[in-house]
Amino acid sequence: MVPVVLVAIAAAALAAHPASSAEVAYFEVPRGAHPHDVAPAPDGSVWYTAQFQGALGILNPKSGQATQIALGAGSSPHGVIVGPDRAAWITDSGQNAIARFDPATKAVKLFPLPRDFPGANLNTATFDRKGILWFTGQSGVYGRVDPSSGKVEAWKAPKGTGPYGITTTPNGEVWYASLAGDHIAKIDTVSGDALMVPPPKSGVGPRRIWSDSKGLLWVSFWNTGEIGRYDPINKAWKVWSLPKSKGGCYAIYVDNKDKIWVTDFVANAIIRFDPATEAFESFPSDKRGASVRQLLGRPGEVWGAESGVDRLVVVKE
């Protein structure tokens, strides 16, 4: 029996004042949840990881009601994504395992890492085109889970600690960003080997990474407050600085229109960047210290988790 905590909360919508007609709305989640990552679910709800409460949260945006499902003893979930099976797949650093939540049965299944990879500090995950889940661990680990067999494999990352964000390109390549390792890397999905690519300059701290529809890789540079774009075919970087900050570029997400969304911790804002016009738009939070650590969306909506103030945020176009 999976423990369930039900919390009824009213949704509070608040309009921001960027240079567009986009609408920003906020949704409170249980106090102390410290929501880290979000994933809009197939049924219209929004999943989030309640990192400090060891649970997967489920928000109903229509009612504002949040339900939290315990993931297990010692759980400390970081990332959550939607799998090809429409289930929630979670990187759980506390249990050193990948967790799968079945929204139909409410069952939680764990895929523990191999014993020789303890304390991986699991971070984020992505599915490749064959339905294999790939994940990162900041302690210097990356690996994969085959959902059909349950087999879990892991490798030591080149340069050790740092693997953080991870993404799959339209042609099936899997890339991750290494924050402490100061590089991005392409994983050979057959052998598991990782090929490192250095950033355009040292010390930028690549944190999250996302592919656009053309296979160009967009990377958040945490240390320098910049957005980097890497072209794997031409092996070339292009960089844009955030309008106000010289550090604190955390989350990055590319929407279905190939617009780039990032979070700026210094400006306490979600930023939209249009590569065609090179224009930035800012959506600042109405509370200090929002600390949005990850962004994900569906057409017309971009969602984030304000980890510092126990809220989810959505920007609707």
Side-chain angles (χ1 to χ4, degrees), residues 159-182:
K159 296 186 71 174
T161 58
Y164 206 96
I166 192 168
T167 191
T168 302
T169 68
N171 67 0
E173 294 179 353
V174 176
W175 291 75
Y176 70 81
S178 179
L179 175 60
D182 201 36

Side-chain angles (χ1 to χ4, degrees), residues 198-232:
K201 58 184 177 183
S202 62
V204 299
R207 190 150 204 164
R208 299 257 187 178
I209 185 170
W210 207 274
S211 174
D212 66 17
S213 65
K214 302 178 182 67
L216 298 173
L217 299 165
W218 294 84
V219 187
S220 58
F221 291 167
W222 171 252
N223 295 339
T224 55
E226 296 171 312
I227 300 170
R229 186 189 69 191
Y230 182 68
D231 183 338

Side-chain angles (χ1 to χ4, degrees), residues 19 128 246:
D128 67 19
K246 295 183 178 180

Side-chain angles (χ1 to χ4, degrees), residues 245 264-270 282-292 306:
S245 307
D264 183 342
F265 268 37
V266 177
N268 197 37
I270 295 173
S282 179
F283 302 87
S285 178
D286 68 324
K287 285 191 176 182
R288 293 182 179 180
S291 300
V292 177
E306 292 193 331

Side-chain angles (χ1 to χ4, degrees), residues 46-105:
V46 179
W47 294 326
Y48 65 91
T49 49
Q51 190 174 56
F52 282 19
Q53 294 174 341
L56 175 70
I58 306 171
L59 172 75
N60 181 336
K62 293 182 179 179
S63 67
Q65 188 178 75
T67 305
Q68 291 194 174
I69 307 216
L71 296 173
S75 172
S76 179
H78 188 118
V80 58
I81 59 172
V82 180
D85 55 0
R86 298 171 66 88
W89 289 81
I90 303 140
T91 47
D92 193 330
S93 61
Q95 299 189 89
N96 205 44
I98 304 300
R100 178 187 183 273
F101 169 72
D102 187 324
T105 66

Side-chain angles (χ1 to χ4, degrees), residues 14-190:
L14 197 74
H17 300 282
S20 74
S21 59
E23 175 188 336
V24 181
Y26 301 98
F27 299 85
E28 293 185 356
V29 298
R31 185 173 298 177
H34 194 77
H36 202 288
D37 283 20
V38 292
D43 64 357
S45 64
V46 179
W47 294 326
Y48 65 91
T49 49
Q51 190 174 56
F52 282 19
Q53 294 174 341
L56 175 70
I58 306 171
L59 172 75
N60 181 336
K62 293 182 179 179
S63 67
Q65 188 178 75
T67 305
Q68 291 194 174
I69 307 216
L71 296 173
S75 172
S76 179
H78 188 118
V80 58
I81 59 172
V82 180
D85 55 0
R86 298 171 66 88
W89 289 81
I90 303 140
T91 47
D92 193 330
S93 61
Q95 299 189 89
N96 205 44
I98 304 300
R100 178 187 183 273
F101 169 72
D102 187 324
T105 66
K106 312 301 181 189
V108 176
K109 181 178 181 180
L110 297 180
F111 298 83
L113 263 64
R115 291 184 178 180
D116 49 346
F117 287 91
N121 193 4
L122 291 170
N123 199 279
T124 49
T126 186
F127 278 91
D128 67 19
R129 290 173 63 182
K130 296 180 180 179
I132 303 299
L133 180 138
W134 292 85
F135 61 83
T136 58
Q138 285 192 77
S139 295
V141 181
Y142 64 93
R144 64 187 172 197
V145 179
D146 184 341
S148 61
S149 67
K151 184 178 181 180
V152 182
E153 298 175 276
W155 292 267
K156 293 181 179 180
K159 296 186 71 174
T161 58
Y164 206 96
I166 192 168
T167 191
T168 302
T169 68
N171 67 0
E173 294 179 353
V174 176
W175 291 75
Y176 70 81
S178 179
L179 175 60
D182 201 36
H183 65 270
I184 63 173
K186 177 185 176 183
I187 301 174
D188 185 320
T189 56
V190 177

